[in-house]
Amino acid sequence: MSTNADIVRFSYSAFRHGDIDAAFNAFAPDIEWTSPTGMSDFGLGGTIRGHDDVRTFLARANSTFSEVHVEPHEFVESADRIAVFGEHRLRGTRGGRSCTVPFAHSWRLDDGKATHFQDLHDVSEVRRILRHDDEPPNSPEGIIQLGLGFWRSKAVLAAVRLGVFTALAGRPLELAELRAGTGVHERGARDFFDSLVALGLLHRDGSVYRNAPAAEEFLDSGKPHQYVGGVLEEAESQWYPAWAHLVEALTDGVPQWVVTGEQENAFDEIYLEPDQLRRFERAMIGGLVPVMRTLPERFPWQQHRTVADIGCCGGALLASVLVRHPHLTATGFDLPALAPLFADTAARHGLEDRMRFTAGSFLTDPLPAADVHVFGHVLHNWDLDTKRMLLRKSFEALPPGGTAVIYETLIDDERRHHVFGLMMSLHMHVLSPGGYDYTGADCQEWLGGAGFRTSRVEHLTGHEFVVIGVK
């Protein structure tokens, strides 16, 4: 028979693995949940009651913090009371600042169900990482720095294009050697490379440069499955010029992304040319690296047997899930032009017998049957009617108990904190005829309208969130 401490341990484990429904099975329907009142202005303080209010609280926490890790270290049991001591590891959504805060959790259980929960921790450090220090109204310097943000951006994009981090992969280089390896002219070389030092991407000892750890891991093009530079290459060559016409996009309502000028939609042009398509896949893999490192661990895949990635591109996300979960089989669903890239991915990972490609258009064809449908950065490409249509198609193709998993850089429900999510939505206005990003609450409404029985919003990693709908 499970002890009260075992029940509480299980709830922490379920939350850590993203199985929210399992965690809630350990809670009484009218559970009383208390958080420090010092967070009330973020909608996170005080006492709430019942599963629905706790789910709302968790969704709000996941929009306030881009990362939430609860690490229990010690469990102390006394009759119906459990005290848990551990650490919160948090990262603020707005500024990306992080902190580790000790906590004491008090649980009360009755007949195997948690009836009361109280979280005790010092909120001063938490509030520090949530301060909007980058907001401009308090100083002219802040306004100027915000307006000139493209300086930093262009320096990083130029470094990726010139292959600076790949040249330094695994070896330090003298200034002259680094110049020769990247083709940077003597006049600007020292300032350019030292700017990358100041930005934290390079280290320098005297005149010898080397990659900082993150650049070594994620910006070496020789490591294709963890190289995020692909998305930065696309940004430098395609998106940066399009964003130069943001004013036109805002005043005319017309997308500004043009590949050759021969197609109305840039995506149509990309899919016609194999070299452009491979470049686009490389960009998508770059943007997927954080998700590929977390989604295989954060969703309860053990409860399912089959998964279909709707708009799978080259199948990189499916491969990352299947490598981690050998009981799964998968279908990639996308336009016919993606079939060779998908086959390459399956062969590279030895997954030819477990992942197959189905050619089709999710705009006009039925979606493949599977236990789980994954929509990764798909819905934000389309207008509202298309978003709703895709979720209805998913509902029709899923079995009872089937699940739709939608990951996006969501806008926070109050539409005032998650800058990256709002910038991504502007990005879709610049790039697409009808696309835009949305809040977790928006997506839950659309899932309910499509027929899904329940839905929840969870933070995934960094700027990425996941909305999960169950049929």
Side-chain angles (χ1 to χ4, degrees):
M1 179 179 296
S2 297
T3 67
N4 285 338
D6 289 336
I7 294 169
V8 172
R9 282 191 182 93
F10 172 79
S11 69
Y12 284 103
S13 176
F15 276 121
R16 184 167 58 252
H17 290 93
D19 194 349
I20 306 301
D21 290 337
F24 272 74
N25 285 337
F27 298 168
D30 59 347
I31 184 173
E32 182 176 287
W33 186 284
T34 302
S35 303
T37 56
M39 296 294 293
S40 297
D41 52 333
F42 290 94
L44 298 175
T47 297
I48 55 178
R49 291 174 178 82
H51 286 195
D52 288 346
D53 284 352
V54 174
R55 287 184 185 273
T56 299
F57 168 88
L58 294 174
R60 186 173 295 119
N62 283 334
S63 64
T64 303
F65 302 99
S66 64
E67 295 180 17
V68 179
H69 300 288
V70 181
E71 300 291 344
H73 299 318
E74 183 181 0
F75 293 78
V76 180
E77 182 172 8
S78 177
D80 65 343
R81 299 293 186 97
I82 306 294
V84 182
F85 302 93
E87 294 178 330
H88 291 301
R89 289 189 290 113
L90 307 168
R91 184 179 299 276
T93 296
R94 175 62 188 265
R97 292 175 290 271
S98 62
C99 70
T100 299
V101 180
F103 69 73
H105 288 170
S106 173
W107 296 83
R108 188 187 306 167
L109 289 89
D110 182 26
D111 195 25
K113 297 288 187 181
T115 59
H116 295 77
F117 166 80
Q118 185 172 11
D119 180 7
L120 302 170
H121 63 267
D122 183 357
V123 301
S124 60
E125 182 68 2
V126 179
R127 295 185 65 85
R128 181 190 68 80
I129 70 168
L130 296 177
R131 288 202 309 264
H132 301 340
D133 292 340
D134 54 343
E135 290 185 346
N138 292 331
S139 70
E141 293 84 0
I143 296 173
I144 293 169
Q145 183 173 350
L146 188 63
L148 297 179
F150 68 91
W151 285 4
R152 299 184 181 207
S153 169
K154 194 61 176 175
V156 174
L157 299 181
V160 170
R161 180 176 178 180
L162 293 168
V164 171
F165 308 107
T166 300
L168 289 169
R171 57 172 185 164
L173 293 175
E174 288 275 355
L175 174 60
E177 296 175 308
L178 186 56
R179 279 188 50 238
T182 57
V184 175
H185 191 277
E186 180 180 9
R187 179 172 178 263
R190 188 178 180 190
D191 287 343
F192 176 51
F193 296 133
D194 283 351
S195 295
L196 299 175
V197 172
L199 290 170
L201 293 173
L202 297 183
H203 293 325
R204 177 172 55 79
D205 298 309
S207 61
V208 177
Y209 294 84
R210 58 187 172 87
N211 282 331
E216 181 72 17
E217 185 172 4
F218 299 116
L219 287 174
D220 173 11
S221 63
K223 303 171 183 173
H225 305 306
Q226 59 194 63
Y227 177 61
V228 303
V231 71
L232 301 182
E233 292 169 3
E234 187 78 353
E236 201 276 335
S237 66
Q238 299 292 327
W239 301 342
Y240 194 92
W243 267 77
H245 299 281
L246 176 61
V247 170
E248 289 85 347
L250 293 173
T251 55
D252 299 340
V254 176
Q256 302 296 309
W257 186 26
V258 178
V259 178
T260 67
E262 297 180 7
Q263 300 288 326
E264 292 184 6
N265 189 323
F267 288 106
D268 294 336
E269 185 70 28
I270 286 171
Y271 277 62
L272 287 175
E273 172 54 50
D275 289 343
Q276 290 178 345
L277 187 55
R278 287 192 177 274
R279 186 201 70 219
F280 182 70
E281 184 207 20
R282 182 180 169 102
M284 294 304 98
I285 291 176
L288 271 178
V289 167
V291 176
M292 291 191 295
R293 293 161 65 91
T294 52
L295 189 61
E297 306 296 332
R298 295 289 301 278
F299 180 75
W301 296 105
Q302 65 277 7
Q303 299 177 11
H304 305 281
R305 307 299 300 179
T306 58
V307 54
D309 189 353
I310 311 303
C312 64
C313 198
L317 187 277
L318 282 181
S320 71
V321 172
L322 266 59
V323 166
R324 176 64 181 82
H325 299 278
H327 72 284
L328 287 171
T329 57
T331 299
F333 186 74
D334 213 319
L335 296 175
L338 274 304
L341 304 186
F342 190 92
D344 289 347
T345 300
R348 188 164 56 247
H349 293 276
L351 295 170
E352 298 99 320
D353 60 335
R354 294 176 50 213
M355 56 186 284
R356 63 184 179 87
F357 184 81
T358 297
S361 167
F362 53 56
L363 297 178
T364 57
D365 298 322
L367 302 186
D371 297 335
V372 179
H373 280 169
V374 175
F375 293 87
H377 297 173
V378 167
L379 296 188
H380 76 161
N381 287 292
W382 307 99
D383 59 27
L384 178 58
D385 288 343
T386 306
K387 287 174 166 67
R388 293 184 184 274
M389 178 269 291
L390 290 172
L391 294 179
R392 284 196 302 271
K393 281 189 172 185
S394 178
F395 182 83
E396 292 165 0
L398 289 168
T403 303
V405 175
I406 301 138
Y407 63 83
E408 297 270 23
T409 54
L410 296 177
I411 299 171
D412 63 285
D413 286 348
E414 296 182 4
R415 298 182 58 85
R416 66 175 73 243
H417 300 301
H418 192 198
V419 174
F420 192 90
L422 288 162
M423 292 298 103
M424 179 64 83
S425 196
L426 282 181
H427 186 56
M428 300 318 299
H429 286 289
V430 170
L431 264 59
S432 69
Y436 65 93
D437 281 74
Y438 48 89
T439 70
D442 291 335
C443 192
Q444 287 185 285
E445 178 189 343
W446 304 333
L447 285 165
F452 286 85
R453 174 171 49 89
T454 63
S455 65
R456 64 184 186 272
V457 181
E458 299 175 15
H459 175 251
L460 189 58
T461 181
H463 297 296
E464 299 283 351
F465 293 81
V466 63
V467 186
I468 297 171
V470 180
K471 180 171 176 177

